[in-house]
Amino acid sequence: MSDSHAVAAANAGHIAGQIGEHSDGHEDHPAYLRHHFVSLEQQNETASFGMWLFLLTEIMFFGGLFTAYLIYRNWYYPAFVAGSHTLNIFEGSLNTLVLISSSFTMAMGVWCAETKRQKGLVWSLIATLILGLGFLGIKADEYHEKYVLHHIPGSTFSSQGFIHPSEEALKSGEKPLAADMAAKTEVYFSLYFAMTGMHALHMIIGIVLLCGMLWKATRGAYMDGNISFVENFGLYWHFVDIVWIFLFPLLYLISRHQ
Amino acid sequence: MSHTKGIKPMSESYKDHDPDAGHAENEQHIVSPKVYFIIFLSLLLGTLLTIGASYLEMGPWNPVVAIAIAVVKATLVVLFFMHIKYSSKLMKLTVGAGLFTFMVLVGMSLADYISRAWGQW
């Protein structure tokens, strides 16, 4: 008998004990703990780890758009300043407030799930849903204003408002742009729609997932400690909030004073 | 994991690495509503600051200040709302490495554009 066999024999009792405990039934762990995980902590951490890897790819994706925005802003600076001045700073600020509040209600939802408060979870998710829809509503109003002003890039786009600013705009210090620079405001609005549009798409996907989660929560889901979905949805929702935290100052604010 | 452990010689170190023992850093940490509320208020304050700062004439510093405030706000969200402050070292390292890679990519792109027509702005 080799040494390793001897060791194996010596350990046999220990192993049998472990396997026995495990196959005895599932009293020692909840049904949602998958067998390839050692513990619930490991399973939860694995799920969050995967979610974070996905969010990091999302950061790279939005980061590319932000980099493009910064470079083009440097190239066509007067056009970007003039384009930025047409955005509604009140609606932008209001949307920031709405989205930060929805992040807070979502964080409270995660807390309610962790502490097994069903009513609290349902109400937190409803609040998050209403705030998310409110954000999209305000965004839609802003998009409508762009439509009215012919600021949507494409065949209907018009840069006339930048070549011949209105009396009101001239009074508030707006300077008329030369025709070739005014045409570059289309680049500003292309980036504006690409960035806020991708952000809004993420919000819409989030709201769809949120509706499904809310429906399940009203039927008593997530009260058995299996809250991985709530936590990882929370990560996604907060990420969308972070994107807006950068979009708002870059699109609306930094050219305000020029 | 525990099934294969038996093949190896039993030693004292085995006990130290008992996967069922649990490590302090892996344990679920429940962040209290009080912390969430303080972060919420801080984010609102940051929003007011960044709107206020945009009305001040700071020349080239306007974007710098705006981005600095946004970075602080995003850090608060990541650390507290997204629980990274209470997460394991693996998670902290992963997020840190991702953000570092992101900074390298953006930084090198911008460095290229700034240096290409050096002095001709």
Side-chain angles (χ1 to χ4, degrees), chain A residues 11 18 38 41 45 49 52 59-60 63 67 71 75 89 93 97 100-101 104 107 111 114 231 235 238 254 257, chain B residues 2 6 8 19 26 28 30-31 33 36 40 44 47 51 55 57 63 66 81-82 88 91 94 98 102 106 113:
Chain A
N11 282 340
Q18 279 201 337
V38 167
E41 285 77 36
E45 172 145 321
F49 184 72
W52 266 106
I59 288 172
M60 301 296 168
T67 308
I71 290 169
W75 279 355
I89 196 166
S93 308
L97 172 67
I100 287 174
S101 304
F104 172 66
W111 178 77
E114 282 170 339
E231 284 185 346
L235 291 182
H238 298 314
I254 56 174
H257 209 85
Chain B
S2 55
K8 291 173 190 161
N26 281 344
Q28 200 75 35
I30 296 179
V31 184
Y36 285 143
F40 173 58
L44 291 184
T47 305
I51 294 170
Y55 283 98
E57 176 63 89
F81 281 2
M82 297 170 95
S88 65
M91 301 290 287
T94 306
F102 173 74
V106 174
Y113 279 99

Side-chain angles (χ1 to χ4, degrees), chain B residues 14-88:
Chain B
Y14 172 76
K15 279 177 190 156
D16 294 340
H17 291 105
D18 183 357
D20 298 323
H23 301 277
E25 63 175 29
N26 281 344
E27 267 161 29
Q28 200 75 35
H29 184 284
I30 296 179
V31 184
S32 76
K34 195 179 154 198
V35 172
Y36 285 143
F37 193 68
I38 291 168
I39 298 306
F40 173 58
L41 291 182
S42 310
L43 292 174
L44 291 184
L45 184 67
T47 305
L48 285 178
L49 278 179
T50 195
I51 294 170
S54 75
Y55 283 98
L56 300 175
E57 176 63 89
M58 292 184 282
W61 292 97
N62 274 80
V64 177
V65 169
I67 291 173
I69 295 173
V71 167
V72 172
K73 286 167 74 183
T75 307
L76 288 177
V77 173
V78 168
L79 288 181
F80 295 95
F81 281 2
M82 297 170 95
H83 304 154
I84 285 300
K85 185 178 189 293
Y86 311 100
S87 296
S88 65

Side-chain angles (χ1 to χ4, degrees), chain A residues 23-209:
Chain A
S23 53
D24 254 341
H26 295 257
E27 298 100 27
D28 55 337
H29 68 74
Y32 53 81
L33 174 59
R34 305 285 173 178
H35 276 219
H36 49 278
F37 291 114
V38 167
S39 62
L40 201 55
E41 285 77 36
Q42 193 196 31
Q43 176 170 310
N44 287 338
E45 172 145 321
T46 306
S48 291
F49 184 72
M51 192 65 204
W52 266 106
L53 289 187
F54 166 66
L55 292 181
L56 288 171
T57 68
E58 290 269 80
I59 288 172
M60 301 296 168
F61 169 69
F62 277 100
L65 287 170
F66 280 115
T67 308
Y69 176 79
L70 288 176
I71 290 169
Y72 274 110
R73 183 175 183 269
N74 232 17
W75 279 355
Y76 307 130
Y77 185 73
F80 271 56
V81 169
S84 174
H85 284 180
T86 67
L87 299 189
N88 188 327
I89 196 166
F90 172 72
E91 283 187 312
S93 308
L94 187 62
N95 254 353
T96 308
L97 172 67
V98 167
L99 210 53
I100 287 174
S101 304
S102 86
S103 248
F104 172 66
T105 56
M106 189 60 225
M108 289 306 296
V110 170
W111 178 77
C112 290
E114 282 170 339
T115 54
K116 301 192 192 335
R117 290 172 160 83
Q118 201 212 343
K119 268 191 182 168
L121 174 63
V122 168
W123 282 110
S124 301
L125 295 183
I126 288 174
T128 309
L129 180 63
I130 290 171
L131 290 166
L133 290 171
F135 178 93
L136 288 176
I138 294 167
K139 200 77 229 159
D141 186 59
E142 289 187 79
Y143 279 4
H144 177 254
E145 192 191 349
K146 296 280 159 291
Y147 169 77
V148 172
L149 293 171
H150 296 282
H151 284 170
I152 296 178
S155 56
T156 59
F157 183 81
S158 165
S159 57
Q160 283 304 310
F162 298 105
I163 302 170
H164 309 290
S166 65
E167 289 289 320
E168 197 187 342
L170 285 169
K171 254 181 221 163
S172 68
E174 208 65 49
K175 290 183 188 74
L177 294 177
D180 57 345
M181 185 52 83
K184 297 302 181 197
T185 53
E186 194 168 6
V187 179
Y188 173 81
F189 287 111
S190 298
L191 282 162
Y192 167 80
F193 278 104
M195 293 163 97
T196 60
M198 282 315 301
H199 179 262
L201 177 65
H202 279 77
M203 296 280 301
I204 291 167
I205 292 168
I207 283 170
V208 171
L209 294 171

Side-chain angles (χ1 to χ4, degrees), chain A residues 219-242:
Chain A
R219 297 161 68 92
Y222 314 118
M223 289 299 121
D224 56 353
N226 186 15
I227 59 162
S228 216
F229 188 86
V230 182
E231 284 185 346
N232 290 321
F233 176 83
L235 291 182
Y236 175 83
W237 197 255
H238 298 314
F239 164 77
V240 174
D241 185 29
I242 289 176

